[in-house]
Amino acid sequence: TFTNILGGNCRSFGIAEESTDGPTLYQAGDMFTNSTAAGDFKLKVHYTGDAANSFTVTNEEIIDIPVWKSWDDEGDGVDTDRPEYIKAILYCVNAGKSKVVEGTKTLTADNEYSERWTNLSTSKCASYEVEEVMPSSHGYDSSYYYESAITGNEKDGFQITNTKYVNIPVAKVWNYRNPSNIPDSVDIVLVCNDRDVPNTQVTLTKTANQRPDGAWFYDGYKGLKASDCPASEHAAYTHHGYTVREIIPQGASYNATVTSVRDGTVIIK
C-alpha cells in the first residue's frame, strides 16, 4: 500500500512492476523470466484498477509447448512409406471440455519432426491437447498402415509416435500342365530375414483358398510390426524383412520359389 501520497500536479496515478535485477519498468503485456529453485518461468505482466479503487498487478505464466514425432518402423533412410510431412494440431481445452484450435505445426524430416508453439497462456485454457493429421494424398495401400499414439502434456511437451504395421497376403500359383498333379494342400510359413516366425504355419487348400484366377490365396498375415523385422541383405522383395516360404514335403516332385512381391502380395510359384 502506498500511503500519504500528495496529488500535487499529478492528474492521475499509474503503477508499474520493476525488474528485480535492474531499473526496468515493465509495461502492460511485457514478458520476463523469473528464476526460482524449481526452474525458470516466463511471466506476462497485466495491470488493472486505478488509484481510487486500488491497482492489481498480475503475473500470468506463459509457456512454450514443444511437439516432436518419432517413427517405430523400418528405420531412417530405409522406410520409404513415411509421408513427406504430418500436421500437429494444438487444441485449447476449456473447463467444459470443448476444444478450440490454437495452432498447427508441420513436422518434416527437415525440421527433424520437431516444432513448438510459443508464448501460450496457462490461464486461458484448462489444458492443451495435440492431434496428428496425416496427409490424405500420401497414397497408403493395403500392405501397410500406421497407428499413432500421443503422450505428454503442456508442461512437458507432446510426443507423437507412429508405429508401422504391415500385411503380407500370399498367392500360391500353380504352373502345372496336368491339374490332377496338384496336391490337395500346401503348408506355408511366415519368414523374417530367413528365419521362420514361430506359430505362423498355415495350410492352404483348393477348397478353402482358391480364387477365380486359380491361385490359392491367404490374407491372414496381418498387423505385423515392421520394426520387429527390419530389412537385411535377405530382404530381396520389400524394405522390411518379412516374406513367406512354402514347406515342401519330403519326397515331393516339385519346388516352390517366391518370385515377386506385387502390391504387397507374396507370389509363390
mmCIF file of all heavy atoms in Angstrom, residues 81-125:
data_model
loop_
_atom_site.group_PDB
_atom_site.id
_atom_site.type_symbol
_atom_site.label_atom_id
_atom_site.label_comp_id
_atom_site.label_asym_id
_atom_site.label_seq_id
_atom_site.Cartn_x
_atom_site.Cartn_y
_atom_site.Cartn_z
ATOM 1 N N ASP A 81 7.872 -45.492 -46.928
ATOM 2 C CA ASP A 81 6.429 -45.304 -46.854
ATOM 3 C C ASP A 81 6.035 -44.122 -45.971
ATOM 4 O O ASP A 81 4.856 -43.796 -45.872
ATOM 5 C CB ASP A 81 5.752 -46.569 -46.315
ATOM 6 C CG ASP A 81 5.816 -47.720 -47.307
ATOM 7 O OD1 ASP A 81 5.805 -47.446 -48.520
ATOM 8 O OD2 ASP A 81 5.895 -48.878 -46.871
ATOM 9 N N ARG A 82 6.999 -43.481 -45.322
ATOM 10 C CA ARG A 82 6.659 -42.336 -44.486
ATOM 11 C C ARG A 82 6.132 -41.190 -45.349
ATOM 12 O O ARG A 82 6.644 -40.937 -46.436
ATOM 13 C CB ARG A 82 7.892 -41.840 -43.733
ATOM 14 C CG ARG A 82 8.435 -42.794 -42.700
ATOM 15 C CD ARG A 82 9.670 -42.201 -42.038
ATOM 16 N NE ARG A 82 10.298 -43.112 -41.101
ATOM 17 C CZ ARG A 82 11.417 -42.847 -40.431
ATOM 18 N NH1 ARG A 82 12.028 -41.686 -40.618
ATOM 19 N NH2 ARG A 82 11.919 -43.737 -39.594
ATOM 20 N N PRO A 83 5.102 -40.506 -44.865
ATOM 21 C CA PRO A 83 4.642 -39.325 -45.612
ATOM 22 C C PRO A 83 5.688 -38.221 -45.564
ATOM 23 O O PRO A 83 6.556 -38.207 -44.690
ATOM 24 C CB PRO A 83 3.372 -38.923 -44.860
ATOM 25 C CG PRO A 83 3.562 -39.452 -43.472
ATOM 26 C CD PRO A 83 4.339 -40.733 -43.627
ATOM 27 N N GLU A 84 5.616 -37.293 -46.496
ATOM 28 C CA GLU A 84 6.581 -36.204 -46.538
ATOM 29 C C GLU A 84 6.424 -35.273 -45.345
ATOM 30 O O GLU A 84 7.384 -34.605 -44.948
ATOM 31 C CB GLU A 84 6.416 -35.406 -47.830
ATOM 32 C CG GLU A 84 6.803 -36.181 -49.090
ATOM 33 C CD GLU A 84 6.693 -35.321 -50.327
ATOM 34 O OE1 GLU A 84 6.390 -34.115 -50.189
ATOM 35 O OE2 GLU A 84 6.918 -35.849 -51.428
ATOM 36 N N TYR A 85 5.246 -35.221 -44.769
ATOM 37 C CA TYR A 85 5.000 -34.346 -43.625
ATOM 38 C C TYR A 85 3.799 -34.864 -42.855
ATOM 39 O O TYR A 85 3.026 -35.685 -43.358
ATOM 40 C CB TYR A 85 4.732 -32.907 -44.073
ATOM 41 C CG TYR A 85 3.434 -32.750 -44.828
ATOM 42 C CD1 TYR A 85 2.244 -32.439 -44.160
ATOM 43 C CD2 TYR A 85 3.381 -32.921 -46.206
ATOM 44 C CE1 TYR A 85 1.047 -32.319 -44.835
ATOM 45 C CE2 TYR A 85 2.188 -32.795 -46.896
ATOM 46 C CZ TYR A 85 1.019 -32.492 -46.209
ATOM 47 O OH TYR A 85 -0.166 -32.383 -46.877
ATOM 48 N N ILE A 86 3.650 -34.380 -41.632
ATOM 49 C CA ILE A 86 2.414 -34.574 -40.879
ATOM 50 C C ILE A 86 2.064 -33.233 -40.237
ATOM 51 O O ILE A 86 2.930 -32.379 -40.029
ATOM 52 C CB ILE A 86 2.509 -35.694 -39.820
ATOM 53 C CG1 ILE A 86 3.472 -35.324 -38.696
ATOM 54 C CG2 ILE A 86 2.900 -37.010 -40.446
ATOM 55 C CD1 ILE A 86 2.805 -34.855 -37.446
ATOM 56 N N LYS A 87 0.801 -33.059 -39.924
ATOM 57 C CA LYS A 87 0.331 -31.858 -39.250
ATOM 58 C C LYS A 87 0.046 -32.187 -37.782
ATOM 59 O O LYS A 87 -0.581 -33.206 -37.478
ATOM 60 C CB LYS A 87 -0.938 -31.326 -39.901
ATOM 61 C CG LYS A 87 -0.780 -30.868 -41.348
ATOM 62 C CD LYS A 87 -0.066 -29.541 -41.441
ATOM 63 C CE LYS A 87 -0.078 -29.005 -42.869
ATOM 64 N NZ LYS A 87 0.615 -27.712 -42.988
ATOM 65 N N ALA A 88 0.529 -31.337 -36.896
ATOM 66 C CA ALA A 88 0.211 -31.448 -35.474
ATOM 67 C C ALA A 88 -0.684 -30.267 -35.108
ATOM 68 O O ALA A 88 -0.299 -29.103 -35.306
ATOM 69 C CB ALA A 88 1.473 -31.444 -34.632
ATOM 70 N N ILE A 89 -1.870 -30.560 -34.609
ATOM 71 C CA ILE A 89 -2.844 -29.523 -34.264
ATOM 72 C C ILE A 89 -2.911 -29.394 -32.743
ATOM 73 O O ILE A 89 -3.099 -30.390 -32.038
ATOM 74 C CB ILE A 89 -4.232 -29.857 -34.823
ATOM 75 C CG1 ILE A 89 -4.165 -30.029 -36.343
ATOM 76 C CG2 ILE A 89 -5.237 -28.764 -34.462
ATOM 77 C CD1 ILE A 89 -5.471 -30.493 -36.951
ATOM 78 N N LEU A 90 -2.744 -28.177 -32.245
ATOM 79 C CA LEU A 90 -2.833 -27.906 -30.811
ATOM 80 C C LEU A 90 -4.219 -27.376 -30.487
ATOM 81 O O LEU A 90 -4.704 -26.434 -31.120
ATOM 82 C CB LEU A 90 -1.782 -26.888 -30.391
ATOM 83 C CG LEU A 90 -1.751 -26.537 -28.895
ATOM 84 C CD1 LEU A 90 -1.255 -27.728 -28.075
ATOM 85 C CD2 LEU A 90 -0.874 -25.314 -28.642
ATOM 86 N N TYR A 91 -4.875 -27.993 -29.485
ATOM 87 C CA TYR A 91 -6.195 -27.573 -29.051
ATOM 88 C C TYR A 91 -6.114 -26.961 -27.659
ATOM 89 O O TYR A 91 -5.417 -27.486 -26.769
ATOM 90 C CB TYR A 91 -7.161 -28.754 -28.998
ATOM 91 C CG TYR A 91 -7.542 -29.303 -30.351
ATOM 92 C CD1 TYR A 91 -6.888 -30.414 -30.879
ATOM 93 C CD2 TYR A 91 -8.566 -28.725 -31.098
ATOM 94 C CE1 TYR A 91 -7.240 -30.936 -32.115
ATOM 95 C CE2 TYR A 91 -8.927 -29.242 -32.342
ATOM 96 C CZ TYR A 91 -8.262 -30.345 -32.839
ATOM 97 O OH TYR A 91 -8.607 -30.850 -34.065
ATOM 98 N N CYS A 92 -6.829 -25.866 -27.481
ATOM 99 C CA CYS A 92 -7.066 -25.298 -26.156
ATOM 100 C C CYS A 92 -8.355 -25.923 -25.632
ATOM 101 O O CYS A 92 -9.419 -25.804 -26.259
ATOM 102 C CB CYS A 92 -7.198 -23.779 -26.259
ATOM 103 S SG CYS A 92 -7.781 -22.966 -24.756
ATOM 104 N N VAL A 93 -8.260 -26.617 -24.509
ATOM 105 C CA VAL A 93 -9.413 -27.300 -23.921
ATOM 106 C C VAL A 93 -9.898 -26.473 -22.736
ATOM 107 O O VAL A 93 -9.151 -26.240 -21.781
ATOM 108 C CB VAL A 93 -9.047 -28.723 -23.462
ATOM 109 C CG1 VAL A 93 -10.282 -29.441 -22.945
ATOM 110 C CG2 VAL A 93 -8.399 -29.507 -24.603
ATOM 111 N N ASN A 94 -11.130 -26.001 -22.788
ATOM 112 C CA ASN A 94 -11.645 -25.189 -21.683
ATOM 113 C C ASN A 94 -12.252 -26.080 -20.599
ATOM 114 O O ASN A 94 -12.272 -27.317 -20.715
ATOM 115 C CB ASN A 94 -12.653 -24.147 -22.195
ATOM 116 C CG ASN A 94 -13.887 -24.780 -22.820
ATOM 117 O OD1 ASN A 94 -14.323 -25.860 -22.420
ATOM 118 N ND2 ASN A 94 -14.481 -24.107 -23.800
ATOM 119 N N ALA A 95 -12.752 -25.454 -19.559
ATOM 120 C CA ALA A 95 -13.265 -26.213 -18.408
ATOM 121 C C ALA A 95 -14.445 -27.097 -18.783
ATOM 122 O O ALA A 95 -14.688 -28.129 -18.153
ATOM 123 C CB ALA A 95 -13.665 -25.252 -17.297
ATOM 124 N N GLY A 96 -15.191 -26.711 -19.804
ATOM 125 C CA GLY A 96 -16.326 -27.516 -20.246
ATOM 126 C C GLY A 96 -15.950 -28.616 -21.203
ATOM 127 O O GLY A 96 -16.817 -29.285 -21.757
ATOM 128 N N LYS A 97 -14.638 -28.793 -21.434
ATOM 129 C CA LYS A 97 -14.080 -29.851 -22.289
ATOM 130 C C LYS A 97 -14.278 -29.600 -23.781
ATOM 131 O O LYS A 97 -13.959 -30.461 -24.587
ATOM 132 C CB LYS A 97 -14.655 -31.234 -21.924
ATOM 133 C CG LYS A 97 -14.369 -31.674 -20.489
ATOM 134 C CD LYS A 97 -12.879 -31.732 -20.210
ATOM 135 C CE LYS A 97 -12.611 -32.205 -18.788
ATOM 136 N NZ LYS A 97 -11.154 -32.239 -18.490
ATOM 137 N N SER A 98 -14.800 -28.434 -24.162
ATOM 138 C CA SER A 98 -14.849 -28.122 -25.586
ATOM 139 C C SER A 98 -13.457 -27.696 -26.050
ATOM 140 O O SER A 98 -12.639 -27.203 -25.261
ATOM 141 C CB SER A 98 -15.876 -27.026 -25.866
ATOM 142 O OG SER A 98 -15.502 -25.823 -25.239
ATOM 143 N N LYS A 99 -13.183 -27.884 -27.350
ATOM 144 C CA LYS A 99 -11.844 -27.643 -27.872
ATOM 145 C C LYS A 99 -11.866 -26.533 -28.907
ATOM 146 O O LYS A 99 -12.788 -26.432 -29.713
ATOM 147 C CB LYS A 99 -11.294 -28.921 -28.520
ATOM 148 C CG LYS A 99 -11.143 -30.099 -27.576
ATOM 149 C CD LYS A 99 -10.592 -31.316 -28.327
ATOM 150 C CE LYS A 99 -10.465 -32.518 -27.427
ATOM 151 N NZ LYS A 99 -9.923 -33.696 -28.146
ATOM 152 N N VAL A 100 -10.815 -25.725 -28.873
ATOM 153 C CA VAL A 100 -10.620 -24.671 -29.853
ATOM 154 C C VAL A 100 -9.215 -24.825 -30.417
ATOM 155 O O VAL A 100 -8.252 -25.008 -29.663
ATOM 156 C CB VAL A 100 -10.787 -23.274 -29.229
ATOM 157 C CG1 VAL A 100 -10.510 -22.192 -30.270
ATOM 158 C CG2 VAL A 100 -12.189 -23.103 -28.649
ATOM 159 N N VAL A 101 -9.095 -24.770 -31.743
ATOM 160 C CA VAL A 101 -7.773 -24.898 -32.362
ATOM 161 C C VAL A 101 -6.921 -23.691 -31.995
ATOM 162 O O VAL A 101 -7.301 -22.541 -32.231
ATOM 163 C CB VAL A 101 -7.885 -25.027 -33.895
ATOM 164 C CG1 VAL A 101 -6.496 -25.035 -34.529
ATOM 165 C CG2 VAL A 101 -8.641 -26.300 -34.265
ATOM 166 N N GLU A 102 -5.778 -23.954 -31.417
ATOM 167 C CA GLU A 102 -4.852 -22.902 -31.009
ATOM 168 C C GLU A 102 -3.779 -22.656 -32.067
ATOM 169 O O GLU A 102 -3.265 -21.543 -32.199
ATOM 170 C CB GLU A 102 -4.194 -23.272 -29.678
ATOM 171 C CG GLU A 102 -3.379 -22.174 -29.045
ATOM 172 C CD GLU A 102 -4.235 -21.043 -28.488
ATOM 173 O OE1 GLU A 102 -5.433 -21.287 -28.199
ATOM 174 O OE2 GLU A 102 -3.709 -19.931 -28.352
ATOM 175 N N GLY A 103 -3.446 -23.684 -32.818
ATOM 176 C CA GLY A 103 -2.430 -23.528 -33.849
ATOM 177 C C GLY A 103 -2.073 -24.864 -34.473
ATOM 178 O O GLY A 103 -2.397 -25.927 -33.939
ATOM 179 N N THR A 104 -1.404 -24.818 -35.616
ATOM 180 C CA THR A 104 -0.997 -26.019 -36.352
ATOM 181 C C THR A 104 0.470 -25.912 -36.720
ATOM 182 O O THR A 104 0.936 -24.850 -37.139
ATOM 183 C CB THR A 104 -1.840 -26.190 -37.636
ATOM 184 O OG1 THR A 104 -3.222 -26.285 -37.271
ATOM 185 C CG2 THR A 104 -1.443 -27.448 -38.384
ATOM 186 N N LYS A 105 1.196 -27.006 -36.575
ATOM 187 C CA LYS A 105 2.601 -27.074 -36.948
ATOM 188 C C LYS A 105 2.800 -28.207 -37.953
ATOM 189 O O LYS A 105 2.136 -29.252 -37.879
ATOM 190 C CB LYS A 105 3.499 -27.310 -35.732
ATOM 191 C CG LYS A 105 3.496 -26.169 -34.711
ATOM 192 C CD LYS A 105 4.104 -24.899 -35.286
ATOM 193 C CE LYS A 105 4.158 -23.799 -34.241
ATOM 194 N NZ LYS A 105 4.744 -22.541 -34.793
ATOM 195 N N THR A 106 3.726 -28.000 -38.877
ATOM 196 C CA THR A 106 4.072 -29.014 -39.867
ATOM 197 C C THR A 106 5.391 -29.655 -39.477
ATOM 198 O O THR A 106 6.397 -28.956 -39.282
ATOM 199 C CB THR A 106 4.186 -28.393 -41.276
ATOM 200 O OG1 THR A 106 2.936 -27.794 -41.627
ATOM 201 C CG2 THR A 106 4.535 -29.466 -42.304
ATOM 202 N N LEU A 107 5.402 -30.974 -39.339
ATOM 203 C CA LEU A 107 6.604 -31.712 -38.953
ATOM 204 C C LEU A 107 7.124 -32.473 -40.159
ATOM 205 O O LEU A 107 6.385 -33.210 -40.817
ATOM 206 C CB LEU A 107 6.294 -32.686 -37.809
ATOM 207 C CG LEU A 107 5.593 -32.095 -36.579
ATOM 208 C CD1 LEU A 107 5.436 -33.169 -35.506
ATOM 209 C CD2 LEU A 107 6.344 -30.905 -36.029
ATOM 210 N N THR A 108 8.404 -32.278 -40.455
ATOM 211 C CA THR A 108 9.036 -32.926 -41.595
ATOM 212 C C THR A 108 10.422 -33.409 -41.206
ATOM 213 O O THR A 108 10.934 -33.092 -40.117
ATOM 214 C CB THR A 108 9.172 -31.951 -42.779
ATOM 215 O OG1 THR A 108 10.154 -30.949 -42.441
ATOM 216 C CG2 THR A 108 7.847 -31.280 -43.108
ATOM 217 N N ALA A 109 11.043 -34.144 -42.107
ATOM 218 C CA ALA A 109 12.424 -34.574 -41.871
ATOM 219 C C ALA A 109 13.355 -33.373 -41.788
ATOM 220 O O ALA A 109 14.369 -33.402 -41.079
ATOM 221 C CB ALA A 109 12.870 -35.530 -42.974
ATOM 222 N N ASP A 110 13.026 -32.295 -42.494
ATOM 223 C CA ASP A 110 13.883 -31.103 -42.495
ATOM 224 C C ASP A 110 13.960 -30.445 -41.126
ATOM 225 O O ASP A 110 15.000 -29.880 -40.764
ATOM 226 C CB ASP A 110 13.382 -30.084 -43.526
ATOM 227 C CG ASP A 110 13.593 -30.556 -44.965
ATOM 228 O OD1 ASP A 110 14.471 -31.423 -45.172
ATOM 229 O OD2 ASP A 110 12.879 -30.071 -45.862
ATOM 230 N N ASN A 111 12.872 -30.460 -40.367
ATOM 231 C CA ASN A 111 12.936 -29.910 -39.003
ATOM 232 C C ASN A 111 13.043 -31.011 -37.955
ATOM 233 O O ASN A 111 12.751 -30.784 -36.772
ATOM 234 C CB ASN A 111 11.747 -28.987 -38.715
ATOM 235 C CG ASN A 111 10.390 -29.677 -38.831
ATOM 236 O OD1 ASN A 111 10.283 -30.901 -38.753
ATOM 237 N ND2 ASN A 111 9.332 -28.894 -39.006
ATOM 238 N N GLU A 112 13.467 -32.191 -38.415
ATOM 239 C CA GLU A 112 13.667 -33.356 -37.546
ATOM 240 C C GLU A 112 12.393 -33.696 -36.783
ATOM 241 O O GLU A 112 12.433 -34.147 -35.641
ATOM 242 C CB GLU A 112 14.837 -33.127 -36.592
ATOM 243 C CG GLU A 112 16.157 -32.951 -37.324
ATOM 244 C CD GLU A 112 17.332 -32.766 -36.381
ATOM 245 O OE1 GLU A 112 17.115 -32.352 -35.222
ATOM 246 O OE2 GLU A 112 18.475 -33.039 -36.818
ATOM 247 N N TYR A 113 11.258 -33.469 -37.439
ATOM 248 C CA TYR A 113 9.945 -33.785 -36.874
ATOM 249 C C TYR A 113 9.766 -33.177 -35.482
ATOM 250 O O TYR A 113 9.261 -33.811 -34.553
ATOM 251 C CB TYR A 113 9.724 -35.295 -36.830
ATOM 252 C CG TYR A 113 9.724 -35.943 -38.191
ATOM 253 C CD1 TYR A 113 10.852 -36.619 -38.663
ATOM 254 C CD2 TYR A 113 8.621 -35.851 -39.031
ATOM 255 C CE1 TYR A 113 10.862 -37.196 -39.928
ATOM 256 C CE2 TYR A 113 8.625 -36.421 -40.292
ATOM 257 C CZ TYR A 113 9.740 -37.095 -40.736
ATOM 258 O OH TYR A 113 9.766 -37.670 -41.988
ATOM 259 N N SER A 114 10.206 -31.927 -35.338
ATOM 260 C CA SER A 114 10.108 -31.250 -34.051
ATOM 261 C C SER A 114 9.745 -29.785 -34.264
ATOM 262 O O SER A 114 10.302 -29.115 -35.134
ATOM 263 C CB SER A 114 11.441 -31.359 -33.300
ATOM 264 O OG SER A 114 11.368 -30.685 -32.060
ATOM 265 N N GLU A 115 8.802 -29.290 -33.476
ATOM 266 C CA GLU A 115 8.378 -27.902 -33.543
ATOM 267 C C GLU A 115 7.895 -27.478 -32.156
ATOM 268 O O GLU A 115 7.864 -28.282 -31.231
ATOM 269 C CB GLU A 115 7.244 -27.726 -34.571
ATOM 270 C CG GLU A 115 7.703 -27.285 -35.956
ATOM 271 C CD GLU A 115 8.076 -25.816 -35.989
ATOM 272 O OE1 GLU A 115 8.082 -25.168 -34.914
ATOM 273 O OE2 GLU A 115 8.350 -25.299 -37.088
ATOM 274 N N ARG A 116 7.509 -26.198 -32.029
ATOM 275 C CA ARG A 116 6.942 -25.748 -30.752
ATOM 276 C C ARG A 116 6.001 -24.574 -30.975
ATOM 277 O O ARG A 116 6.178 -23.772 -31.890
ATOM 278 C CB ARG A 116 8.029 -25.388 -29.750
ATOM 279 C CG ARG A 116 8.860 -24.172 -30.058
ATOM 280 C CD ARG A 116 9.818 -23.845 -28.915
ATOM 281 N NE ARG A 116 10.599 -24.987 -28.502
ATOM 282 C CZ ARG A 116 10.738 -25.397 -27.232
ATOM 283 N NH1 ARG A 116 10.137 -24.746 -26.260
ATOM 284 N NH2 ARG A 116 11.470 -26.444 -26.945
ATOM 285 N N TRP A 117 4.986 -24.519 -30.117
ATOM 286 C CA TRP A 117 4.116 -23.353 -30.031
ATOM 287 C C TRP A 117 4.640 -22.477 -28.904
ATOM 288 O O TRP A 117 4.983 -22.984 -27.819
ATOM 289 C CB TRP A 117 2.683 -23.784 -29.733
ATOM 290 C CG TRP A 117 2.036 -24.548 -30.849
ATOM 291 C CD1 TRP A 117 1.426 -24.039 -31.948
ATOM 292 C CD2 TRP A 117 1.920 -25.979 -30.968
ATOM 293 N NE1 TRP A 117 0.930 -25.050 -32.751
ATOM 294 C CE2 TRP A 117 1.228 -26.252 -32.175
ATOM 295 C CE3 TRP A 117 2.340 -27.052 -30.186
ATOM 296 C CZ2 TRP A 117 0.938 -27.536 -32.606
ATOM 297 C CZ3 TRP A 117 2.063 -28.331 -30.611
ATOM 298 C CH2 TRP A 117 1.375 -28.576 -31.803
ATOM 299 N N THR A 118 4.707 -21.178 -29.128
ATOM 300 C CA THR A 118 5.348 -20.284 -28.170
ATOM 301 C C THR A 118 4.363 -19.282 -27.579
ATOM 302 O O THR A 118 3.335 -18.952 -28.182
ATOM 303 C CB THR A 118 6.514 -19.527 -28.822
ATOM 304 O OG1 THR A 118 6.017 -18.752 -29.928
ATOM 305 C CG2 THR A 118 7.570 -20.494 -29.333
ATOM 306 N N ASN A 119 4.720 -18.815 -26.364
ATOM 307 C CA ASN A 119 4.012 -17.726 -25.680
ATOM 308 C C ASN A 119 2.523 -18.007 -25.510
ATOM 309 O O ASN A 119 1.659 -17.210 -25.883
ATOM 310 C CB ASN A 119 4.219 -16.400 -26.419
ATOM 311 C CG ASN A 119 5.673 -16.004 -26.491
ATOM 312 O OD1 ASN A 119 6.471 -16.358 -25.625
ATOM 313 N ND2 ASN A 119 6.043 -15.258 -27.528
ATOM 314 N N LEU A 120 2.241 -19.171 -24.940
ATOM 315 C CA LEU A 120 0.852 -19.580 -24.705
ATOM 316 C C LEU A 120 0.472 -19.344 -23.245
ATOM 317 O O LEU A 120 1.277 -19.576 -22.328
ATOM 318 C CB LEU A 120 0.671 -21.060 -25.052
ATOM 319 C CG LEU A 120 0.956 -21.436 -26.507
ATOM 320 C CD1 LEU A 120 1.014 -22.950 -26.650
ATOM 321 C CD2 LEU A 120 -0.083 -20.856 -27.434
ATOM 322 N N SER A 121 -0.748 -18.940 -23.038
ATOM 323 C CA SER A 121 -1.225 -18.642 -21.693
ATOM 324 C C SER A 121 -1.613 -19.914 -20.947
ATOM 325 O O SER A 121 -2.233 -20.812 -21.520
ATOM 326 C CB SER A 121 -2.439 -17.707 -21.776
ATOM 327 O OG SER A 121 -3.085 -17.606 -20.531
ATOM 328 N N THR A 122 -1.265 -19.962 -19.665
ATOM 329 C CA THR A 122 -1.698 -21.085 -18.829
ATOM 330 C C THR A 122 -3.073 -20.839 -18.213
ATOM 331 O O THR A 122 -3.714 -21.778 -17.752
ATOM 332 C CB THR A 122 -0.689 -21.336 -17.697
ATOM 333 O OG1 THR A 122 -0.527 -20.133 -16.931
ATOM 334 C CG2 THR A 122 0.661 -21.755 -18.254
ATOM 335 N N SER A 123 -3.521 -19.602 -18.213
ATOM 336 C CA SER A 123 -4.821 -19.297 -17.612
ATOM 337 C C SER A 123 -5.944 -19.309 -18.640
ATOM 338 O O SER A 123 -7.121 -19.407 -18.279
ATOM 339 C CB SER A 123 -4.770 -17.925 -16.936
ATOM 340 O OG SER A 123 -4.467 -16.899 -17.871
ATOM 341 N N LYS A 124 -5.605 -19.237 -19.905
ATOM 342 C CA LYS A 124 -6.623 -19.195 -20.952
ATOM 343 C C LYS A 124 -7.329 -20.531 -21.109
ATOM 344 O O LYS A 124 -8.529 -20.589 -21.393
ATOM 345 C CB LYS A 124 -5.969 -18.803 -22.279
ATOM 346 C CG LYS A 124 -6.886 -18.827 -23.476
ATOM 347 C CD LYS A 124 -6.123 -18.480 -24.747
ATOM 348 C CE LYS A 124 -6.995 -18.603 -25.974
ATOM 349 N NZ LYS A 124 -6.251 -18.298 -27.222
ATOM 350 N N CYS A 125 -6.595 -21.629 -20.929
ATOM 351 C CA CYS A 125 -7.131 -22.965 -21.167
ATOM 352 C C CYS A 125 -6.992 -23.820 -19.915
ATOM 353 O O CYS A 125 -6.020 -23.693 -19.167
ATOM 354 C CB CYS A 125 -6.388 -23.647 -22.323
ATOM 355 S SG CYS A 125 -6.271 -22.645 -23.816
#
